[in-house]
Amino acid sequence: MILSRMTWREVEDLDRACVVLIPTGALEQHGPHLPLFTDSLIAGAVAEAVEHYLPAEVLLTPTLWLGASAHHLAFAGTLSASFEAFIRSLQSVIESLEPHGFEKFFVVNGHGGNTEPNGLALREIKTRFPNLTVGHVGYFDYSRAVAAEVMEGPIREIRHACEAETSLALHLFPDLVRRDLLRDDGLTANPPIAGLVATFDEVTEEGSFGYATLASAEKGKAIFDAAVDGLTRDVAALARGFQFEGLPPRD
Amino acid sequence: MILSRMTWREVEDLDRACVVLIPTGALEQHGPHLPLFTDSLIAGAVAEAVEHYLPAEVLLTPTLWLGASAHHLAFAGTLSASFEAFIRSLQSVIESLEPHGFEKFFVVNGHGGNTEPNGLALREIKTRFPNLTVGHVGYFDYSRAVAAEVMEGPIREIRHACEAETSLALHLFPDLVRRDLLRDDGLTANPPIAGLVATFDEVTEEGSFGYATLASAEKGKAIFDAAVDGLTRDVAALARGFQFEGLPPRD
Amino acid sequence: MILSRMTWREVEDLDRACVVLIPTGALEQHGPHLPLFTDSLIAGAVAEAVEHYLPAEVLLTPTLWLGASAHHLAFAGTLSASFEAFIRSLQSVIESLEPHGFEKFFVVNGHGGNTEPNGLALREIKTRFPNLTVGHVGYFDYSRAVAAEVMEGPIREIRHACEAETSLALHLFPDLVRRDLLRDDGLTANPPIAGLVATFDEVTEEGSFGYATLASAEKGKAIFDAAVDGLTRDVAALARGFQFEGLPPRD
Amino acid sequence: MILSRMTWREVEDLDRACVVLIPTGALEQHGPHLPLFTDSLIAGAVAEAVEHYLPAEVLLTPTLWLGASAHHLAFAGTLSASFEAFIRSLQSVIESLEPHGFEKFFVVNGHGGNTEPNGLALREIKTRFPNLTVGHVGYFDYSRAVAAEVMEGPIREIRHACEAETSLALHLFPDLVRRDLLRDDGLTANPPIAGLVATFDEVTEEGSFGYATLASAEKGKAIFDAAVDGLTRDVAALARGFQFEGLPPRD
Amino acid sequence: MILSRMTWREVEDLDRACVVLIPTGALEQHGPHLPLFTDSLIAGAVAEAVEHYLPAEVLLTPTLWLGASAHHLAFAGTLSASFEAFIRSLQSVIESLEPHGFEKFFVVNGHGGNTEPNGLALREIKTRFPNLTVGHVGYFDYSRAVAAEVMEGPIREIRHACEAETSLALHLFPDLVRRDLLRDDGLTANPPIAGLVATFDEVTEEGSFGYATLASAEKGKAIFDAAVDGLTRDVAALARGFQFEGLPPRD
Amino acid sequence: MILSRMTWREVEDLDRACVVLIPTGALEQHGPHLPLFTDSLIAGAVAEAVEHYLPAEVLLTPTLWLGASAHHLAFAGTLSASFEAFIRSLQSVIESLEPHGFEKFFVVNGHGGNTEPNGLALREIKTRFPNLTVGHVGYFDYSRAVAAEVMEGPIREIRHACEAETSLALHLFPDLVRRDLLRDDGLTANPPIAGLVATFDEVTEEGSFGYATLASAEKGKAIFDAAVDGLTRDVAALARGFQFEGLPPRD
């Protein structure tokens, strides 16, 4: 079910076992070759596919497209929510539906910079509403293994406007990819240092990180399908119910 | 120009005389007959039309769809931003672009409940960035005269899921209108009292206010065109420049 | 009843059907001819007159004189609350009395810049305390028709230190009017643009907007009486009770 | 000079060596015998007297009457600002005048509960504007010695609606004192414990603390005069200038 | 009992009549001769001594060492919490234990700059949790009389890195005192002005205020013992219970 | 160098190439067998060891021991900072030193729940102070590989009061381990769901997660040494300098 198209009475009549699925994206620079809306488009496409497979179990909200992208603000066109604006927006969605009996909220995220504020938003919600079931995941978390398999460049992880993300774009919205401007980019600390909090103007030349020149629509499809499969499985489990069970004994 | 489809380099190359156009909408109950996204769809449609007529003068952002709708929260499905979340989100858009030299920001609003927080957001921005040119207007402000003319019911103003708004829906997204559920609704204080701050469960039976049964696509087209005309005129004036001039002498 | 002069036991003994009446004003520049306290003096005078006519129905608080006047800060002497300070102050008044059973709160405002934050303050209060009856109105809202009638200049609306406001000052506190410094002032955008959020140093030369040279105490009395009449009527209706009733049928 | 009566041009023309004097009060229960506005009336009267003696050195603002009185909220009629509202309001006054070159701000306080938030407000201001000269004092700080001398009851300190404060009321606004309701009140911990943060419903029976039955207008005059003398001296020193000088040598 | 060393089950089993004792300190400049941690070390030592004497009555938390020290920030090494961070941290401690039935919270403070924010933090807590017993005191409040007696310099009060505080350091952590750098310091306004809010770079030459050259471990022991005695007495009274009793009659 | 033991002059004289090392911990339940301060003790021990090896390169602050532990609050004794309190406290440390020219700040964290707020705190700092070098890492990030190697239970990751963490406790503070109460614990969702935000009362029986019965001091030493080695290496690189260099070409 697609919330934006429904009336309030139709929402009123829903089974509260359904999962409110909230995509979070961004509008931020993605190098010279990908559109600013890349993360929002991917997260939205994954969420829509899951809603397509599980229409009765999913209540899909519009994408919270204004992400936490301050580390990209040196590049023109990036729009970044303050953490406060981002967190309060996400929480507002849940706070609006909770009084009507909705109990399961799941965030599917398309932008790495949202992962931490998504965590804070939901942890605070969980503290205030302990009976809710809440969670968040990046689509890229589901695609990690497949991406490592299909990628060919020296980096086999999903980074930023990289081989994987550009492949997704070629699969999902090829008309928005500037193919003539694909480029490999990225800078790393030497010697390497764990946990640096850097901005993208420090770690790239032109905004992307990875080997975009190796992208293909086929790779994109494989990565996308893995994300949809993973999210479908988790949302189905949330909708149908799960138990907490003990760890296996030590031997 | 449509920001979401652009790359950061394309934004970097823009003429800073352009007007950043920011639609604000809502996802809130609109009676039994209109979809929750009504305000966002209308504001977005008006803004897109203006961008279509003035592509070089307008830099159109995605719609800030999570509106200030707490007065509708008694109806299931409504999502309301806290004022803080709404205001900080809108301000974040401007704060992101201002360092890159953009100087003109204009908000076109589709939801009456956003008018006050839009005002606060921009007044605070103007205090911090006095050199910016900022403004906000409801599409309904441009359509007031035409609406009064084409409407037939006892109320000739644009209210909520009413004759006018339902007409707009029939013009812009007829497939989302539940024509079989159109109904007239609305409650008013007796004796009348100015300035009451009421919630929509107090002033309606089923969520709408006005004479939806009188709606037609033709009326909707007239109201829509007036909004597009008015906004096009103002955005063009902003893009091309204006002066402050003295009042006429008293006689 | 005037809250500031009462003891807590006298408040404790009040009938909770009474209306807590809260004037909001400002301390801000009013051109070369009117004192900084103009808005607070007018709002206070209107509220006191209503309390005089309805002593048993009204519980009058002192005037919240520190208004939201950031758009006047370029002129020395203006004191402006941040929106946060203004909103939290007004809400504090209501939050203090609500636990003691007071249920009806009405704000009478003397400063246009307070209208939006008054709205936000009360909407948030209404969300948290849905059983309260709250409202806000500008005294100028009650005087609109009369003002349009008695004013003689090219602008027949109440603006700022204008024909109407200066007339009110001549009626209410003539000793504080610098009659030798009356002047007409005001700048408007050409071409006109709806919804601009401008500061008063942009839209005036010396701080006032309108035709102050046309002011008279007689006009002021007419405008004042209309405000007192309107507010008295609404406060009486609030105190004595009202119902929400359906709209008339469409034909 | 009294700010509220001035025009912006008159403020613009002031000598910046003057001291902006800001009274802070409260609207809170003062037992069965004193009006809710007691603290605001006293602080305002002290400040007005000082302005009377030093008209050229003082720029007097209206009284910030909405104090930090949460510990009195169990008694009907008390209005308490949240700390945030109180602190931001006081800071707003300074932030408004600072850009116009005013450099000296002094708060005279009439309510013990404001002392801590006044301290926080000014310390934060001082951190942000290190070149400002700021300070705050209770009128009671100036009257301590005289009060100890003229008071006759077992407690020789200025507490709440007590012998001293009731005497001030009898001196300054005798018509508002309910003489037939004077009573002694107050509860203390046994065994005594330092630093308890208690509410007034815990430490009084009817809201006052001290021996109000011993009050007299004469005592009130003595206490008032001491406050005015002390504040006049300090404000004069601020206006005329002072130096920081070293401590005396240890021997 | 020392909270940090316990397990959650041991806390679960505690008698709720115990007093949660929370030391607040600072890490701020203390002149050329005392370490930055002076206030935290003293407050911690006092609290530990009291826990030693009353192990069953006290639940001692770790020291909140990040104090409100903005007035010392001109000196390198000072770390100052914003007021918000300080207040919310202290409140977080209480808010965490209150749901588990702990009812008595007492703060022992080692830094004068924390006194006001401690007050605000606890007053706000008391407003939200009226059934709690809360209080705060500076160790120096207990030592005032003894300090006045044993000090020899022209100032007989505990100030900053002064005769008293340096004596405490010589008693408690002599290895951290730079004895070769002891110096007398301090600047005062001439003429004197009450209530100035100054920073320590305005009122000292090298950061200390008082006659450190007169310090001795013996004086420190006397001051320390007085603090421990006073706090032990108050904590015991809190743990064992107290009543609020009426004031003595006026004659 | 250990900040708390220094004087302000000694800090003033430091080489600004040094790294300010800030440990973050927690005071939260760690099952029936480990003390509440476990995370703070481990993070502090790692940081102290690194300071021992690199005394000239490290400026070690005290441990921010009040962590973000709301998900453990169902267990008595846990103290949790609100996210706001935690983030503002950490930021306060940096904001205090930055004006004195310190440029490198590194957080070593002992509590998984702090990872996200550490990230937000530093990202916001980096946005405001782009020239700073900042980073954060969990000690457990350095120990991952070694832990996986030495652990023997079914889970080879560092979780909570588990085989690894209990081993660290046995190595670092064996007297605080309740060896008679060691137990294996932990609950997981069936079917598994990614990204659930659960509280520890949902995912454990007694507060720990993992196979504490397999812990040993030897394993703890191996895990500890790996953390110290990793952090020493990174801090040395930060102190001595690093460059951002391009990625290797794609082939």
Side-chain angles (χ1 to χ4, degrees):
Chain A
M1 294 156 303
I2 297 177
L3 180 63
S4 63
R5 303 170 66 91
M6 300 171 75
T7 67
W8 75 265
R9 286 199 156 287
E10 293 162 5
V11 177
E12 180 67 37
D13 290 343
L14 288 181
D15 182 350
R16 265 46 172 184
C18 75
V19 178
V20 180
L21 185 61
I22 311 168
T24 54
L27 192 152
E28 74 178 19
Q29 73 85 16
H30 271 72
H33 54 287
L34 293 187
L36 295 162
F37 225 37
T38 293
D39 292 342
S40 294
L41 292 173
I42 297 174
V46 170
E48 283 164 22
V50 173
E51 191 276 339
H52 178 75
Y53 291 123
L54 296 171
E57 287 86 353
V58 167
L59 180 61
L60 176 62
T61 74
T63 299
L64 286 166
W65 60 264
L66 183 60
S69 303
H71 46 313
H72 293 278
L73 280 172
F75 298 88
T78 299
L79 303 184
S80 177
S82 69
F83 287 123
E84 183 190 19
F86 182 85
I87 288 173
R88 297 295 170 229
S89 293
L90 175 52
Q91 292 181 331
S92 291
V93 172
I94 299 173
E95 291 162 348
S96 296
L97 291 169
E98 184 273 340
H100 292 282
F102 293 90
E103 294 182 336
K104 304 173 185 178
F105 298 89
F106 206 68
V107 176
V108 55
N109 177 33
H111 167 49
N114 292 345
T115 303
E116 290 170 336
N118 275 340
L120 258 74
L122 295 186
R123 288 166 64 185
E124 201 175 76
I125 283 286
K126 182 73 181 173
T127 300
R128 282 192 278 140
F129 305 100
N131 292 329
L132 296 184
T133 300
V134 298
H136 69 108
V137 75
Y139 77 83
F140 33 80
D141 294 318
Y142 293 119
S143 304
R144 191 160 288 124
V146 166
E149 206 174 299
V150 301
M151 292 171 81
E152 298 171 280
I155 298 180
R156 303 287 166 103
E157 293 166 1
I158 305 178
R159 304 299 284 268
H160 185 74
C162 61
E163 182 182 353
E165 214 168 47
T166 307
S167 294
L168 281 161
L170 289 168
H171 173 56
L172 294 170
F173 41 89
D175 291 354
L176 295 178
V177 180
R178 280 65 167 171
R179 287 167 205 257
D180 52 324
L181 297 175
L182 295 180
R183 79 191 295 274
D184 302 336
D185 199 350
L187 306 170
T188 56
N190 180 6
I193 298 172
L196 278 185
V197 173
T199 52
F200 261 69
D201 50 311
E202 291 176 320
V203 298
T204 71
E205 287 173 349
E206 296 286 330
S208 67
F209 197 107
Y211 296 84
T213 59
L214 293 168
S216 75
E218 291 68 32
K219 294 175 186 172
K221 182 175 188 313
I223 295 169
F224 179 74
D225 289 348
V228 173
D229 286 355
L231 183 58
T232 301
R233 200 165 48 239
D234 279 349
V235 167
L238 283 165
R240 291 161 196 168
F242 64 94
Q243 286 83 40
F244 282 113
E245 297 181 355
L247 295 184
R250 48 181 275 198
D251 266 296
Chain B
M1 295 156 305
I2 297 176
L3 180 63
S4 63
R5 303 171 66 90
M6 300 171 75
T7 67
W8 75 265
R9 286 199 156 286
E10 293 162 4
V11 178
E12 180 68 36
D13 290 343
L14 288 180
D15 182 349
R16 265 46 171 182
C18 74
V19 178
V20 180
L21 185 61
I22 310 168
T24 54
L27 191 151
E28 73 179 18
Q29 72 85 14
H30 270 72
H33 53 287
L34 292 187
L36 295 162
F37 225 38
T38 293
D39 291 344
S40 294
L41 292 173
I42 297 174
V46 171
E48 283 164 22
V50 173
E51 191 276 339
H52 177 76
Y53 290 123
L54 296 170
E57 286 85 354
V58 167
L59 179 60
L60 176 62
T61 74
T63 299
L64 287 165
W65 60 265
L66 183 60
S69 302
H71 45 314
H72 293 277
L73 279 173
F75 298 89
T78 300
L79 303 185
S80 176
S82 68
F83 287 124
E84 182 190 22
F86 182 85
I87 288 173
R88 298 295 170 229
S89 293
L90 174 52
Q91 292 182 330
S92 291
V93 171
I94 299 173
E95 291 163 348
S96 296
L97 290 168
E98 185 272 343
H100 292 282
F102 292 90
E103 294 181 335
K104 304 173 185 177
F105 298 89
F106 205 68
V107 176
V108 57
N109 177 32
H111 167 50
N114 293 344
T115 303
E116 290 171 336
N118 275 340
L120 258 73
L122 295 186
R123 288 165 65 185
E124 201 175 76
I125 283 285
K126 182 73 181 173
T127 301
R128 281 192 277 139
F129 304 100
N131 292 329
L132 297 184
T133 300
V134 298
H136 68 108
V137 76
Y139 77 83
F140 34 80
D141 294 319
Y142 293 120
S143 304
R144 191 160 287 125
V146 166
E149 205 172 299
V150 300
M151 292 170 81
E152 297 170 278
I155 297 179
R156 304 288 166 103
E157 292 166 1
I158 306 178
R159 304 298 284 269
H160 184 73
C162 61
E163 182 182 353
E165 215 168 46
T166 307
S167 295
L168 281 161
L170 289 169
H171 173 56
L172 293 170
F173 40 91
D175 293 355
L176 295 179
V177 180
R178 279 66 167 169
R179 287 168 206 256
D180 52 326
L181 298 175
L182 295 180
R183 79 191 295 276
D184 301 337
D185 198 350
L187 306 171
T188 57
N190 180 7
I193 298 172
L196 278 186
V197 173
T199 52
F200 261 68
D201 50 312
E202 290 176 321
V203 299
T204 71
E205 289 173 348
E206 296 286 331
S208 67
F209 198 107
Y211 296 83
T213 59
L214 292 168
S216 75
E218 292 66 35
K219 295 176 185 173
K221 180 175 190 312
I223 294 169
F224 180 73
D225 289 349
V228 173
D229 285 357
L231 183 58
T232 301
R233 200 166 49 240
D234 279 349
V235 168
L238 284 165
R240 291 161 197 166
F242 64 94
Q243 286 82 40
F244 282 114
E245 297 182 355
L247 296 184
R250 47 180 273 199
D251 269 297
Chain C
M1 294 156 305
I2 297 177
L3 179 63
S4 63
R5 303 171 65 91
M6 300 170 75
T7 66
W8 75 265
R9 286 199 156 286
E10 294 161 4
V11 178
E12 180 68 36
D13 290 342
L14 288 180
D15 182 349
R16 265 45 171 183
C18 75
V19 178
V20 180
L21 184 61
I22 310 169
T24 54
L27 192 152
E28 75 178 18
Q29 73 83 15
H30 271 72
H33 54 287
L34 293 188
L36 295 162
F37 224 38
T38 293
D39 292 343
S40 293
L41 293 173
I42 297 173
V46 171
E48 283 164 20
V50 173
E51 190 279 336
H52 178 76
Y53 290 122
L54 296 170
E57 287 85 354
V58 167
L59 179 61
L60 176 62
T61 74
T63 301
L64 287 165
W65 59 263
L66 183 60
S69 302
H71 46 312
H72 293 277
L73 279 173
F75 298 89
T78 300
L79 302 185
S80 177
S82 68
F83 287 124
E84 182 191 23
F86 182 86
I87 288 173
R88 298 294 170 229
S89 293
L90 175 52
Q91 292 182 329
S92 291
V93 172
I94 299 173
E95 291 163 348
S96 296
L97 291 169
E98 186 272 342
H100 292 282
F102 292 90
E103 294 182 335
K104 304 173 184 177
F105 298 90
F106 206 68
V107 177
V108 56
N109 177 32
H111 166 51
N114 293 344
T115 303
E116 290 170 336
N118 275 340
L120 259 74
L122 296 186
R123 288 165 64 185
E124 201 175 76
I125 284 285
K126 182 74 180 171
T127 300
R128 281 192 276 138
F129 304 101
N131 292 329
L132 297 185
T133 300
V134 299
H136 69 108
V137 75
Y139 78 84
F140 34 80
D141 294 319
Y142 293 118
S143 304
R144 190 160 287 125
V146 166
E149 205 174 297
V150 300
M151 292 171 81
E152 297 171 280
I155 297 180
R156 302 290 166 102
E157 293 166 0
I158 305 178
R159 304 297 284 268
H160 185 74
C162 61
E163 183 183 352
E165 214 168 46
T166 306
S167 294
L168 281 161
L170 288 169
H171 173 56
L172 293 170
F173 41 90
D175 292 355
L176 295 179
V177 180
R178 281 66 168 171
R179 288 168 206 257
D180 53 323
L181 297 175
L182 295 180
R183 78 191 295 274
D184 301 336
D185 198 350
L187 305 171
T188 57
N190 180 6
I193 298 172
L196 278 185
V197 173
T199 52
F200 261 69
D201 50 310
E202 291 176 321
V203 299
T204 71
E205 288 173 347
E206 297 286 330
S208 66
F209 197 108
Y211 296 84
T213 59
L214 291 168
S216 75
E218 291 67 33
K219 295 175 184 173
K221 181 173 188 314
I223 294 169
F224 179 74
D225 289 349
V228 173
D229 285 355
L231 183 57
T232 300
R233 202 167 46 241
D234 278 349
V235 167
L238 284 165
R240 290 161 197 167
F242 64 94
Q243 285 82 41
F244 283 113
E245 298 182 355
L247 296 184
R250 46 180 274 198
D251 267 299
Chain D
M1 295 155 303
I2 297 176
L3 180 63
S4 63
R5 304 171 66 90
M6 300 171 76
T7 67
W8 76 264
R9 286 198 156 287
E10 293 162 4
V11 177
E12 179 69 35
D13 290 344
L14 288 181
D15 182 350
R16 266 44 171 183
C18 74
V19 178
V20 179
L21 184 61
I22 310 169
T24 54
L27 192 152
E28 74 178 17
Q29 72 85 15
H30 271 73
H33 53 286
L34 293 188
L36 295 161
F37 225 37
T38 293
D39 292 343
S40 293
L41 292 173
I42 297 174
V46 171
E48 282 164 23
V50 173
E51 191 276 340
H52 177 76
Y53 290 124
L54 296 171
E57 286 86 353
V58 168
L59 180 60
L60 176 62
T61 74
T63 299
L64 286 166
W65 60 264
L66 184 59
S69 302
H71 45 313
H72 293 277
L73 280 172
F75 298 89
T78 300
L79 302 185
S80 177
S82 68
F83 287 124
E84 181 191 22
F86 182 86
I87 288 173
R88 298 294 170 231
S89 293
L90 175 52
Q91 292 181 331
S92 291
V93 172
I94 299 173
E95 291 162 349
S96 295
L97 291 168
E98 184 272 343
H100 292 282
F102 293 90
E103 295 181 335
K104 303 172 185 177
F105 298 90
F106 205 68
V107 176
V108 55
N109 177 32
H111 167 50
N114 293 345
T115 303
E116 290 171 336
N118 275 340
L120 258 73
L122 295 186
R123 288 166 64 186
E124 201 175 76
I125 283 285
K126 182 74 180 173
T127 300
R128 281 192 279 140
F129 304 101
N131 292 329
L132 296 184
T133 300
V134 298
H136 68 108
V137 75
Y139 78 83
F140 34 79
D141 294 319
Y142 293 119
S143 304
R144 191 159 288 126
V146 165
E149 205 174 300
V150 300
M151 292 170 83
E152 298 170 276
I155 297 179
R156 304 288 167 101
E157 292 167 2
I158 306 178
R159 304 298 283 268
H160 184 73
C162 61
E163 182 182 353
E165 215 168 46
T166 307
S167 294
L168 281 161
L170 288 169
H171 173 56
L172 294 170
F173 40 90
D175 292 355
L176 295 179
V177 180
R178 279 65 166 173
R179 287 168 207 256
D180 52 326
L181 297 175
L182 295 180
R183 78 191 295 274
D184 301 336
D185 198 350
L187 305 171
T188 55
N190 179 7
I193 298 171
L196 279 185
V197 173
T199 52
F200 261 68
D201 49 310
E202 291 176 321
V203 299
T204 71
E205 288 173 348
E206 296 286 331
S208 67
F209 198 108
Y211 296 83
T213 59
L214 292 168
S216 75
E218 292 66 35
K219 294 176 186 173
K221 180 174 190 311
I223 294 169
F224 180 73
D225 289 350
V228 173
D229 285 356
L231 183 58
T232 302
R233 202 166 46 241
D234 278 349
V235 167
L238 283 165
R240 292 164 195 164
F242 64 94
Q243 287 82 41
F244 283 114
E245 296 181 356
L247 296 184
R250 49 181 272 199
D251 271 296
Chain E
M1 294 155 303
I2 297 177
L3 180 63
S4 63
R5 305 170 65 91
M6 299 170 77
T7 67
W8 76 264
R9 287 197 156 288
E10 293 161 5
V11 177
E12 180 68 35
D13 290 343
L14 288 181
D15 182 351
R16 265 46 171 183
C18 75
V19 178
V20 180
L21 185 60
I22 311 168
T24 54
L27 191 152
E28 74 178 19
Q29 72 85 15
H30 270 73
H33 53 286
L34 293 188
L36 295 161
F37 224 37
T38 293
D39 291 344
S40 293
L41 292 173
I42 297 175
V46 171
E48 283 165 20
V50 173
E51 191 276 340
H52 178 76
Y53 291 123
L54 297 170
E57 287 85 354
V58 168
L59 179 61
L60 176 63
T61 74
T63 300
L64 286 166
W65 60 263
L66 183 60
S69 302
H71 45 312
H72 292 277
L73 279 172
F75 298 88
T78 300
L79 303 184
S80 176
S82 69
F83 287 124
E84 181 191 22
F86 182 85
I87 288 172
R88 297 294 172 230
S89 293
L90 174 52
Q91 292 182 330
S92 291
V93 171
I94 299 173
E95 292 163 348
S96 296
L97 290 169
E98 185 272 342
H100 292 283
F102 292 91
E103 294 182 336
K104 304 173 184 177
F105 298 90
F106 206 68
V107 176
V108 55
N109 177 32
H111 166 51
N114 293 345
T115 303
E116 290 171 336
N118 275 340
L120 259 74
L122 295 186
R123 288 166 64 185
E124 202 175 75
I125 284 285
K126 181 75 181 173
T127 301
R128 283 192 275 140
F129 304 100
N131 292 330
L132 296 184
T133 300
V134 299
H136 68 108
V137 75
Y139 77 82
F140 34 79
D141 294 318
Y142 292 119
S143 305
R144 191 161 286 123
V146 166
E149 205 174 299
V150 301
M151 292 170 81
E152 297 170 279
I155 297 180
R156 303 287 168 103
E157 293 166 0
I158 305 178
R159 303 299 283 269
H160 185 73
C162 61
E163 182 182 351
E165 215 168 46
T166 307
S167 294
L168 280 162
L170 288 169
H171 173 56
L172 293 170
F173 41 89
D175 292 355
L176 295 179
V177 181
R178 280 64 167 172
R179 287 168 207 258
D180 53 325
L181 297 175
L182 295 181
R183 79 191 294 275
D184 301 336
D185 198 351
L187 306 170
T188 56
N190 180 7
I193 298 172
L196 278 185
V197 173
T199 51
F200 261 69
D201 50 311
E202 291 176 322
V203 299
T204 72
E205 288 174 347
E206 296 286 331
S208 66
F209 197 106
Y211 296 84
T213 58
L214 291 169
S216 75
E218 291 68 34
K219 294 175 185 174
K221 181 173 189 312
I223 295 168
F224 179 74
D225 289 349
V228 173
D229 286 356
L231 183 58
T232 301
R233 200 166 48 239
D234 278 349
V235 167
L238 284 164
R240 292 161 195 169
F242 65 94
Q243 286 82 40
F244 282 114
E245 298 181 355
L247 296 184
R250 50 181 272 199
D251 268 297
Chain F
M1 294 155 303
I2 297 176
L3 180 63
S4 63
R5 304 171 65 91
M6 300 171 75
T7 67
W8 76 264
R9 286 200 157 284
E10 293 161 4
V11 177
E12 180 68 37
D13 290 344
L14 288 180
D15 182 351
R16 265 46 171 184
C18 74
V19 178
V20 180
L21 185 61
I22 311 169
T24 55
L27 191 152
E28 73 177 19
Q29 72 85 13
H30 270 72
H33 53 286
L34 293 188
L36 295 161
F37 224 38
T38 294
D39 291 344
S40 293
L41 292 173
I42 297 174
V46 171
E48 283 164 22
V50 173
E51 191 276 340
H52 178 75
Y53 291 122
L54 296 170
E57 287 86 353
V58 168
L59 179 61
L60 176 63
T61 74
T63 300
L64 286 165
W65 60 264
L66 184 60
S69 302
H71 45 314
H72 293 277
L73 279 172
F75 297 89
T78 300
L79 303 185
S80 177
S82 68
F83 287 125
E84 182 191 22
F86 182 86
I87 288 172
R88 297 294 171 230
S89 293
L90 175 53
Q91 292 181 331
S92 290
V93 171
I94 299 173
E95 291 163 349
S96 296
L97 291 168
E98 185 272 342
H100 292 281
F102 292 90
E103 295 181 336
K104 304 173 184 177
F105 298 89
F106 205 69
V107 176
V108 56
N109 177 32
H111 166 51
N114 292 345
T115 302
E116 290 171 336
N118 276 340
L120 259 73
L122 295 186
R123 288 165 64 185
E124 201 175 75
I125 283 286
K126 181 75 181 173
T127 300
R128 283 192 277 139
F129 304 101
N131 292 330
L132 296 185
T133 300
V134 299
H136 68 108
V137 76
Y139 79 82
F140 35 79
D141 293 319
Y142 293 119
S143 305
R144 191 161 286 124
V146 165
E149 205 174 298
V150 300
M151 292 170 81
E152 297 170 277
I155 298 180
R156 303 287 166 103
E157 291 166 2
I158 305 178
R159 304 298 283 269
H160 185 72
C162 60
E163 182 181 352
E165 215 168 47
T166 307
S167 295
L168 280 161
L170 288 169
H171 173 56
L172 294 170
F173 40 91
D175 292 355
L176 295 180
V177 181
R178 279 65 166 172
R179 288 169 204 254
D180 52 325
L181 297 174
L182 294 181
R183 79 191 294 274
D184 300 337
D185 197 351
L187 306 170
T188 57
N190 179 8
I193 298 172
L196 278 185
V197 173
T199 51
F200 261 68
D201 49 312
E202 292 176 320
V203 299
T204 70
E205 288 173 349
E206 297 285 332
S208 66
F209 198 107
Y211 296 84
T213 57
L214 292 169
S216 74
E218 291 66 33
K219 295 175 185 173
K221 180 173 190 313
I223 295 169
F224 180 73
D225 289 349
V228 173
D229 285 356
L231 183 58
T232 301
R233 199 166 49 239
D234 278 349
V235 167
L238 283 164
R240 291 160 196 168
F242 64 93
Q243 285 82 40
F244 282 114
E245 296 182 356
L247 296 184
R250 47 182 272 199
D251 269 297

